[in-house]
């Protein structure tokens, strides 16, 4: 069965390849998504390294002059997707959304470069390096304007975890009175019980309108947006990405960048302590507008190991949570604590397992010496694909596939990480 899954995964990535960039899946997500492209590149690299690098290079064609790399690049008009470029109202070419997404690119590029003949791709990395620096600098400037050492978000979509319970209390403050009537398209592609609720979507669009009305000015957005939440996921992923960017700076001889990146890492290692919730024994989000701590444990909590923090006593408490999760949800790592009142095993980020998050958590566990736990997550991920196929996400209780099918990043995670064949990146 496994060779067939390898072939199917490659076929999915190829069918979702629209010529230099890969869409997540047809219909539901018809454009180029930021972190989807990065993770897809890991899978593509197992059979076409040149094409994997191209995936990252095309993503940066959408980079804004201020450094932001948007979460969607609208490379063609697809009326079957909402909200499209006119709703975002960003005056850029190619058209894009106005927010970013978790910056996994530096970490992916390090993996690609280490997985091939470095000399063959050195110049391409040299060309990408300043663009990634510019993007990371944008995060540290406009998503941490008070130098707290944590990364905030102005929109749930920016975190990649759209309807996570973490955002509920902050979203309640968002004005939705001015949004125009709209028709959702996502619920026409997949079961509505697997998607965010209508009121959440109203608030998502209320935030887009707010930021569009101030012309996506990054400083104004950071200071005035009603939604500004320090996110565990963004903070941990950027800290990890900064570590990998520092490694690249040293390897490339980018001496001027070394001090700047080192400063970011030092600030984050101190700042991340602000997100430690001692009452829960976990890293949790913090509403920076109200100052209130957000008491929800999610799969992003376990990205601490991926970021190189959360060891010792904190690590022990995190491991205890993982074991508790598995007593209720045996497949993978659910996106929300199964004991949480909001837990829903099939509704997007309120419970389902996401292979890319499993991958990051497991990578961190392996690096921190927790081989058995990391391997358990990998084996669970493998079993999900064998049971259900290459879905967007999976029910952690039954193993059922959720969301879109023939999904690029799930296929990529199979090829790059979960397959029993242990495929490696090739030149």
């Amino acid at each position: 069965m496994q060779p067939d899954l390898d072939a199917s995964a490659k076929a999915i990535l190829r069918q979702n390849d629209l010529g230099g960039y890969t869409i997540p899946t047809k219909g539901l997500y018809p454009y180029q998504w930021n972190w989807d492209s990065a993770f897809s590149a890991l899978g593509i690299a197992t059979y076409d390294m040149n094409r994997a690098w191209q995936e990252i290079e095309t993503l940066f064609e959408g980079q804004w002059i201020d450094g932001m790399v948007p979460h969607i690049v609208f490379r063609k008009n697809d009326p079957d997707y909402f909200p499209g470029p006119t709703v975002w109202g960003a005056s850029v070419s190619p058209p894009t959304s106005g927010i970013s997404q978790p910056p996994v690119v530096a970490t992916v590029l390090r993996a690609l470069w280490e997985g091939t003949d470095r000399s063959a791709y050195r110049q391409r990395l040299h060309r990408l390096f300043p663009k990634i620096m510019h993007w990371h600098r944008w995060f540290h400037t406009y998503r941490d304007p008070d130098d707290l050492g944590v990364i905030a978000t102005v929109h749930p979509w920016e975190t990649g975890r759209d309807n996570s319970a973490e955002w509920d209390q902050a979203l309640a403050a968002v004005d939705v009175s001015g949004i125009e009537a709209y028709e959702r398209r996502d619920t026409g592609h997949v079961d509505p019980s697997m998607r965010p609720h209508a009121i959440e979507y109203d608030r998502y669009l209320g935030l887009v309108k707010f930021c569009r009305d101030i012309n996506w000015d990054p400083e104004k957005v950071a200071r005035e947006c009603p939604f500004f939440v320090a996110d565990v996921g963004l903070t941990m992923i950027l800290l990890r990405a900064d570590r990998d960017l520092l490694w690249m700076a040293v390897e490339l001889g980018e001496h001027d960048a070394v001090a700047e990146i080192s400063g970011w890492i030092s600030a984050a290692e101190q700042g991340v302590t602000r997100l430690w919730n001692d009452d829960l024994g976990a890293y949790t989000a913090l509403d920076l507008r109200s100052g209130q701590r957000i008491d929800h444990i999610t799969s992003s909590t376990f990205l601490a190991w991926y970021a190189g923090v959360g060891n010792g006593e904190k690590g022990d408490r995190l491991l205890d949570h993982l074991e508790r999760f598995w007593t209720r949800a045996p497949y993978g790592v659910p996106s929300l604590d199964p004991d949480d009142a909001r837990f829903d095993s099939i509704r997007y980020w309120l419970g389902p397992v996401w292979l890319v998050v499993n991958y990051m958590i497991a990578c961190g566990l392996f690096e921190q010496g927790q081989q058995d736990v990391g391997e358990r997550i990998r084996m669970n991920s493998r079993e999900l694909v064998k049971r259900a196929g290459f879905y967007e996400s999976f029910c952690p209780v039954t193993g059922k596939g959720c969301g879109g099918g023939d999904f690029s990043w799930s296929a990529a995670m199979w090829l790059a990480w979960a397959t029993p064949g242990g495929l490696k990146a090739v030149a």
Side-chain angles (χ1 to χ4, degrees):
M1 182 178 182
Q2 177 258 321
D4 292 339
L5 286 172
D6 289 352
S8 295
K10 291 178 186 178
I12 287 169
L13 287 168
R14 286 175 170 138
Q15 77 185 23
N16 289 339
D17 184 342
L18 297 192
Y21 69 96
T22 304
I23 61 172
T25 190
K26 293 180 179 178
L28 184 60
Y29 302 113
Y31 297 110
Q32 184 176 23
W33 259 258
N34 187 320
W35 68 333
D36 291 74
S37 266
F39 286 120
S40 292
L42 286 176
I44 296 168
T46 64
Y47 59 86
D48 189 342
M49 182 63 79
N50 177 67
R51 178 63 186 78
W53 280 76
Q54 185 185 32
E55 187 74 26
I56 305 299
E57 291 162 342
T58 58
L59 176 64
F60 277 86
E61 291 174 2
Q63 186 169 31
W64 287 23
I65 193 170
D66 62 15
M68 193 267 285
V69 181
H71 95 293
I72 307 173
V73 182
F74 299 107
R75 295 189 172 276
K76 60 183 179 61
N77 181 40
D78 191 325
D80 202 32
Y81 177 80
F82 179 86
T86 56
V87 176
W88 290 94
S91 301
V92 293
S93 182
T96 75
S97 63
I99 56 176
S100 197
Q101 241 181 354
V104 297
V105 164
T107 302
V108 167
L109 272 180
R110 177 177 177 176
L112 296 184
W113 203 40
E114 288 188 304
T116 189
D117 176 6
R118 293 187 193 178
S119 62
Y121 291 90
R122 189 178 185 87
Q123 288 305 312
R124 292 171 80 167
L125 185 59
H126 260 299
R127 289 192 291 270
L128 282 168
F129 182 84
K131 299 177 182 181
I132 303 171
M133 277 290 297
H134 198 22
W135 185 24
H136 285 211
R137 191 179 295 116
W138 175 88
F139 266 113
H140 289 290
T141 302
Y142 299 116
R143 294 297 184 262
D144 183 19
D146 295 320
D147 298 322
L148 299 177
V150 294
I151 302 302
T153 181
V154 301
H155 199 294
W157 287 340
E158 190 165 65
T159 70
R161 306 187 317 280
D162 303 21
N163 68 327
S164 176
E166 298 158 283
W167 321 133
D168 291 353
Q169 69 183 47
L171 279 176
V174 176
D175 180 13
V176 298
S177 61
I179 63 172
E180 298 178 357
Y182 64 92
E183 180 184 354
R184 289 176 64 174
R185 303 299 177 89
D186 58 321
T187 52
H189 293 288
V190 298
D191 185 343
S193 68
M194 297 179 180
R195 299 295 295 175
H197 292 291
I199 184 58
E200 292 168 324
Y201 227 82
D202 287 349
R203 288 165 177 160
Y204 301 155
L205 293 173
L207 286 171
V208 171
K209 179 182 184 302
F210 179 91
C211 295
R212 185 184 65 222
D213 287 349
I214 55 176
N215 297 315
W216 298 104
D217 181 300
E219 187 170 357
K220 287 184 178 179
V221 168
R223 294 297 182 186
E224 299 174 16
C225 184
F227 185 94
F228 202 66
V229 179
D231 173 36
V232 176
L234 282 172
T235 299
M236 298 298 184
I237 288 171
L238 183 58
L239 175 52
R240 169 57 182 262
D242 281 340
R243 296 191 197 279
D244 292 320
L245 191 62
L246 177 61
W247 180 88
M248 285 189 279
V250 172
E251 291 290 313
L252 293 174
E254 298 281 356
H255 304 297
D256 291 343
V258 168
E260 184 175 10
I261 301 169
S262 297
W264 295 339
I265 292 171
S266 178
E269 288 175 337
Q270 294 297 314
V272 74
T273 61
R274 298 175 185 273
L275 303 182
W276 180 254
N277 186 328
D278 203 50
D279 291 338
L280 295 183
Y283 292 97
T284 62
L286 180 65
D287 187 337
L288 294 179
R289 292 292 184 248
S290 69
Q292 290 183 308
R293 189 170 296 283
I294 298 171
D295 290 334
H296 294 284
I297 302 174
T298 72
S299 54
S300 67
T301 294
F302 306 111
L303 293 175
W305 296 302
Y306 182 72
V309 298
N311 300 309
E313 182 183 350
K314 288 185 173 66
D316 291 341
R317 297 182 75 178
L318 294 178
L319 286 172
D320 288 343
H321 283 303
L322 262 186
E323 289 295 336
R324 179 174 57 80
F325 276 29
W326 274 317
T327 63
R328 288 277 310 278
Y331 292 101
V333 182
S335 47
L336 181 63
D337 186 339
D339 291 327
D340 194 296
R342 289 291 317 279
F343 178 76
D344 184 328
S345 66
I346 64 169
R347 192 180 290 278
Y348 217 38
W349 291 91
L350 289 177
V353 174
W354 299 75
L355 294 192
V356 294
V357 180
N358 275 11
Y359 166 74
M360 290 187 287
I361 295 170
C363 285
L365 285 163
F366 280 123
E367 290 162 358
Q368 299 303 320
Q370 297 289 344
Q371 306 294 328
D372 291 346
V373 186
E375 184 62 14
R376 182 176 180 181
I377 293 173
R378 192 168 79 97
M379 294 297 290
N380 283 350
S381 301
R382 181 183 299 173
E383 184 62 24
L384 286 170
V385 172
K386 287 182 175 181
R387 290 174 65 92
F390 297 102
Y391 274 87
E392 181 178 8
S393 60
F394 304 84
C395 173
V397 178
T398 67
K400 171 186 176 181
C402 300
D406 289 347
F407 215 84
S408 292
W409 72 10
S410 295
M413 288 299 97
W414 175 265
L415 291 173
W417 173 60
T419 176
L423 295 180
K424 302 294 183 183
V426 296

